[in-house]
Structure formats: C-alpha cells, structure tokens
Amino acid sequence: MAVRNKFKVALLAFLVSASLTGCGLDGDDGAQGETGAQGPQGEQGEPGSDGTDGEDGSNGNDASIGIAMDVVGRAFLGNLTAAEIVQYHAETSTIYATNGETNSIAVIPAQSVSTTVMTDPINTTTLTPTFVNLPADINGVTLGSLTSIAVRGDLMAVAVPADVKTDNGYILFYNGLNSSAPAFLDSVEVGALPDMVTFTPDGGKVLVANEGEPSSDYTVDPVGSVSVINILANGEPEETGTTVGFTGFNDQQAALVAQGMMFPNPSGRTINGVEIATTVAQDLEPEYITATNELAYVSLQENNGLAIVNLEDLTVDVVGLGTKSWAGLNIDVQEDGAVSFGQYTGLYGVYQPDTIANFSWKGATFIVTANEGDAREYFFDVADEAACTDAGGVDYDEDDGCLAYTDEVKLKNLTAAANSELAMLQANGEADDLRVTTAMGDADGDGEYEAAYTYGARSFTIWDQNGLVVFDSGDDFERITASIHGAQFNNGDDENEGDSRSENKGPEPEALTVGQVGDRTYAFIGTERMGGIFVYDVTNPYDAKFVEYVINRNLTEGLGATDIIGDLAPESLVFVSAEDSPSDVPLLLVGSEVSGTVTVWQINQL
C-alpha cells in the first residue's frame, strides 16, 4: 500500500510504450488542410541538361472543424427514476438500460435507428423497450434494486446490492445477448453496496466498485472495496471473485489529507447511543471505475481521491486530487433568479469526481473526470424533534426525518479564523448560502476555518499519469449555459426553476464518456441538473477545445418532471462508433434517470 502526491510512475511504466520525455506536445497530424496551392513552374534546364517543368502541388484534404449532434431515437422506460445506466450490445444493435423502480433491465432494439432526425424529440419516442425482471433473492439473500450493468460480447453483468445495503451484494451474470435473449447464468458475491460494474477492455475481468455506505443512522459502516472477477475461457465467470480493500491505509489518513483528500465522517460523535469511530477503509467509498487491461482507476468521490489497482498483482495505490481555486474564475453562488457571476478569494472547489474515463495519447494513459461533488447525508426515523435530539441528530425535518449526520453547511455558518480568507469572504456576503463542507478548511482543527471548500469543481478535468492536471474546463459550463439560457441556467433536474442550483453544485457534471470520430477524440460530459451535454475535442489533451453543447429539454418556467419537458438528469453516456452503429454514423446514448428516457444522438463530423 502506498500514499503519494503523484501517481507512482513505476506502477504504470509498463503501460507506456514510450516516455513522454522528448515527445513534443503536438497533436496528431491534421488530415484535412485546405486545398494546396499550385506548385511553382519548374525552371527550364540549360541547353544540354535534362531539366523539366515542376509538378503541380497536390491537393490537401478538407479540415474537420468539429461535430454537430441531432436526436435520431428515443425511448421511455415506462416510469420516472429509470434509465440510470445504459449499455450497448454492438452485435445485435441493442441498448440495455437499468430501471431501479421496477428492478428490471430494459431491452431496447435499436436496429431501426437511421440518420433521420426526430422532428419532436422532447415529446415523442421511436424505440420500444421490453424488460428482463431480476430475481428477488439469491442464495436466500433478499436483493435490493440494481445499481449498474455492463455488457461485453454475449455476457451482461448486473450489480445488485442486498436489501440491507450494509450486507454483501452480488453480481448477476446473464448470457444469450448474441441472440437477443438474456438468460440468468450465475451470481458472484461481492462487497457491500456494489454501485458500479464494468469489464476490462479485453473482457477478461469484471470490476466492481463496492461503495460500502454506512447505514442510514451511521451505526453500521462496512468497508469500501473493489471486487475483481475473472471471466473464464468458456465465457463464464469464476465462482468467486477477489476483493481488494483499503485497510492498509488505516494509519495513513494524515498523509492522504495532506495531498488533498478529505474524510467527511462523524468520528468522535455519538449517534443514537453509539460512539462513531471510522477508519480510512470504512470512509473510502469507491464510486466509478475505468480500466485498461492492466490497471483499474477508481474514483473515491466523497473523499476527493483516486485509487489505482494493479490488476496483475492486485496491489492498490491512492492519490489525492487536491482543490481548485475560484479566485480567478466565474461562479454563481447566489440563487437570486439571475446570472450573478463573481470571483471569490478564499473559495475553493473540491473535485470529487463521479464518472471517470480514460484514453491514450502518445502511448500514455490520461484520465478524464466529471467533477460532480457530493456531500454525505444520513437520516434515521424517529417520532419527533425531541426524539431526534435525544438520538444525537443534528437536525429534524418533518419530511426527511432526523438528520443523523452531514458534512454540509452554508458558508455563513462556518466559524471563520480572524483575518482569514474566509472572514473576508463572509464579509462580502454574496456566498453566504453556498453549500460547503466542514471536512476541509480547518487546518489546525481548532474549529475555526481559514477558507471555504464547495462540492465539485463545476467542470471536467484531464489528468496525466503523474496525477497532474493537464486541462480543466474552468468556468465553461456555467458561462456557456448562462449565455444560452440566461436566468434559466443552473436549473434543477425535476422542475423548471432557473438559477435554483447555483448555491449547490451548479450544473453538476456527472456523466462522461470518450470516443473517436474520424481521427479526432472527443469527451462528452452530461450535466445532471441542467440536462445538457458538452463536447470537447481532447485529441491532444494539452490543447483541449470546447466544440459543442446540446440539450433536449423544454425549459418553460414552472413545468415539472411529470410534464413532458424532455430528458432530465443524464446519469450515463455511452459512445457508439460508426463501425458499431446501425446507421453507420457515430452515436451517443444518454440515460436520463429523472425522466426515465434513453436518447440516441447522432454525431455528425463537420
């Protein structure tokens, strides 16, 4: 086990065919310059020589200037709060999507998807799902609702927690995808609350992020972990997987904090009669995995870190992601019904990525993160406010119940150290109601804060193999949506109320994927609250550029999720290459949880 400020180069060296040292930062050769000018006329040779006329210059190719996107297919899963995770089966042109409300998997035939653009994609659908219902129990264990699916060849892996989320969950395996008839094959027990599942690129392993969240009253807190399940030559999973944990870091919390991680737990408090003592292994909660065949990169969202698992020897490393200053960037921290940008010294963003992906440039791996941010908040049921106080709760709400613990407060409620950046920020008053964490900013632990740290970075980031920021989209997401939507920007994900999320993570980038169109590599980032999708050209990660923004939502003020207002809360994105697309044109599949819709965007290269 190791803690480090940067990725351990030795751990990753075998992935890199050539060191970046000595490599230029130029992107791939442009394939499409303007038409070449005619070559000059060659000089006539002297008498007796064999000089000839010069040849004409050759024609160049047309340059790609970006992409445009249109909706060419859409399905509704039958209820809201569905379509959280989508996957694509290329051999049969079939989309699979989760439906946690009915605990089923939608099977959406997409062979009919063509290049015909939908005329009314907000109000209509063109694709019809059928459903595979999941079992209610496995080996006598009652199951909860599925959280994630992954597809590879003829096999589908389904992550399902136990009904008691602090107990071990299961990965359910289905085969028969090649004949469009998924059938239950086997189950493998994994860690507590398996929240995300994926295959390695070669299909040889299934990787599971076991979040290990505490019980709602925080009195039971399982460890977070990553499960590794080998897929055998016959296409079936091994009977048992291997669990990779973080107990080796239990004595390294101070070192992890020093490199920008956080541990937002109630250690030292008494809740419901129980004194809480949380270890590092309990507090680390794996959220999402992206992998090469040799390494798994795991986002530790609430902790603002990344774990790197060597899939050969199952050793693990952890790196902190640090913070981002809002002093020189625009951010709206006021829900006043208007675009109210400011730049604030003493205010920092904690990246806290949800979805992550990876791509290669010049033989090196780069990690891409959607910096959503997330607070911890746990409730338990009590009869009234007095009972909440007796149980050690920090707040009581008639709708939510007793708040057992949260690390979230409004900025104005932090106690500022004298003459600190936070004191000046509070004197300004504009950021008073911004949600910030109590887990950072009090360096000496005296209860007085020197600065404020807000959830997420309202951006996406590209990181190199050394843990360094190569590119961050800065304040693009808010500035672009404010320019397009005006005061309707920073909307919520279940009703239309402009500027209703500015004090709480803004547009909230969550879903992310990377794909290649022509000879260019693009990152696609979905904003959970606003619902729009940003596209960046990341072909050269050191020269990333914004190229497109699309949204399929009616933003008429006052409409809610039960009205027909389009796609709400994109939770997952899947890129489909032209080679795998039923229309021979690249596609982006979007699963929108709140609206329960799966939308197919066509990607046209300009």
Side-chain angles (χ1 to χ4, degrees), residues 136-431:
D137 66 89
I138 289 290
N139 300 329
V141 177
T142 302
L143 298 178
S145 294
L146 79 168
T147 56
S148 180
I149 57 175
V151 167
R152 174 77 184 189
D154 194 45
L155 204 60
M156 176 164 58
V158 185
V160 188
D163 186 52
V164 178
K165 71 174 184 177
T166 53
D167 292 343
N168 283 350
Y170 288 84
I171 300 300
L172 310 184
F173 286 92
Y174 287 74
N175 62 6
L177 274 65
N178 288 341
S179 57
S180 299
F184 178 72
L185 175 66
D186 204 352
S187 65
V188 177
E189 184 175 350
V190 290
L193 191 57
D195 196 46
M196 189 270 177
V197 61
T198 189
F199 285 86
T200 52
D202 63 5
K205 292 179 173 62
V206 166
L207 310 175
V208 189
N210 303 306
E211 195 162 6
E213 281 187 356
S215 58
S216 58
D217 61 1
Y218 228 117
T219 57
V220 179
D221 190 359
V223 296
S225 63
V226 175
S227 292
V228 181
I229 304 169
N230 291 320
I231 302 300
L232 304 174
N234 63 2
E236 296 185 4
E238 281 189 332
E239 289 298 316
T240 59
T242 302
T243 297
V244 179
F246 301 98
T247 55
F249 296 92
N250 282 343
D251 62 350
Q252 300 185 43
Q253 181 168 327
L256 293 169
V257 169
Q259 58 172 279
M261 291 185 70
M262 55 191 283
F263 293 87
N265 62 69
S267 281
R269 287 192 56 228
T270 298
I271 298 177
N272 213 17
V274 177
E275 184 174 348
I276 307 300
T278 304
T279 66
V280 169
Q282 289 174 306
D283 203 70
L284 296 182
E285 297 181 354
E287 184 77 24
Y288 204 94
I289 302 174
T290 185
T292 66
N293 291 325
E294 295 84 12
L295 295 174
Y297 302 88
V298 186
S299 62
L300 306 170
Q301 183 175 24
E302 290 88 349
N303 305 101
N304 193 42
L306 196 69
I308 306 95
V309 180
N310 184 318
L311 297 176
E312 298 297 325
D313 58 17
L314 299 185
T315 56
V316 62
D317 204 358
V318 174
V319 59
L321 297 179
T323 61
K324 165 182 174 176
S325 174
W326 284 107
L329 297 168
N330 293 303
I331 183 174
D332 191 332
V333 296
Q334 304 175 80
E335 292 175 9
D336 56 2
V339 178
S340 306
F341 285 132
Q343 299 184 2
Y344 302 97
T345 299
L347 179 63
Y348 300 86
V350 187
Y351 291 100
Q352 293 187 306
D354 187 329
T355 306
I356 62 176
N358 75 85
F359 70 100
S360 179
W361 182 65
K362 294 189 179 293
T365 299
F366 291 79
I367 308 301
V368 190
T369 62
N371 306 317
E372 178 194 23
D374 198 12
R376 285 206 175 133
E377 203 172 54
Y378 297 97
F379 294 86
F380 56 95
D381 294 327
V382 295
D384 53 30
E385 187 168 359
C388 178
T389 301
D390 292 342
V394 297
D395 191 23
Y396 180 78
D397 183 89
E398 289 186 0
D399 295 324
D400 294 329
C402 180
L403 183 59
Y405 172 74
T406 183
D407 67 299
E408 178 186 292
V409 297
K410 293 184 177 181
L411 184 145
K412 64 185 177 185
N413 293 330
L414 290 176
T415 300
N419 302 315
S420 65
E421 288 183 334
L422 176 59
M424 292 185 286
L425 189 59
Q426 289 179 332
N428 175 281
E430 291 181 3

Side-chain angles (χ1 to χ4, degrees), residues 432-557:
D432 275 357
D433 293 323
L434 179 69
R435 308 311 194 273
V436 296
T437 180
T438 58
M440 296 187 92
D442 178 13
D444 55 11
D446 65 353
E448 297 183 347
Y449 288 78
E450 292 76 35
Y453 292 82
T454 191
Y455 300 98
R458 306 191 184 194
S459 64
F460 90 99
T461 305
I462 304 174
W463 310 80
D464 74 3
Q465 63 168 325
N466 303 304
L468 301 177
V469 174
V470 171
F471 171 83
D472 184 84
S473 61
D475 53 13
D476 283 4
F477 292 174
E478 280 191 288
R479 286 193 304 106
I480 292 169
T481 52
S483 296
I484 294 171
H485 304 300
Q488 286 295 100
F489 91 132
N490 281 357
N491 225 300
D493 61 5
D494 58 1
E495 64 179 337
N496 288 344
E497 182 184 356
D499 195 35
S500 61
R501 296 294 301 179
S502 291
E503 295 169 359
N504 193 359
K505 295 180 283 187
E508 213 161 311
E510 175 169 7
L512 180 146
T513 192
V514 176
Q516 186 163 332
V517 181
D519 61 353
R520 313 300 296 173
T521 302
Y522 294 96
F524 303 83
I525 307 97
T527 52
E528 181 182 11
R529 301 296 176 174
M530 192 70 223
I533 298 166
F534 290 86
V535 187
Y536 282 73
D537 186 330
V538 298
T539 307
N540 178 344
Y542 289 90
D543 190 28
K545 295 182 176 67
F546 167 72
V547 296
E548 179 63 300
Y549 169 76
V550 294
I551 189 170
N552 188 46
R553 177 175 180 174
N554 175 358
L555 286 166
T556 301
E557 191 77 14

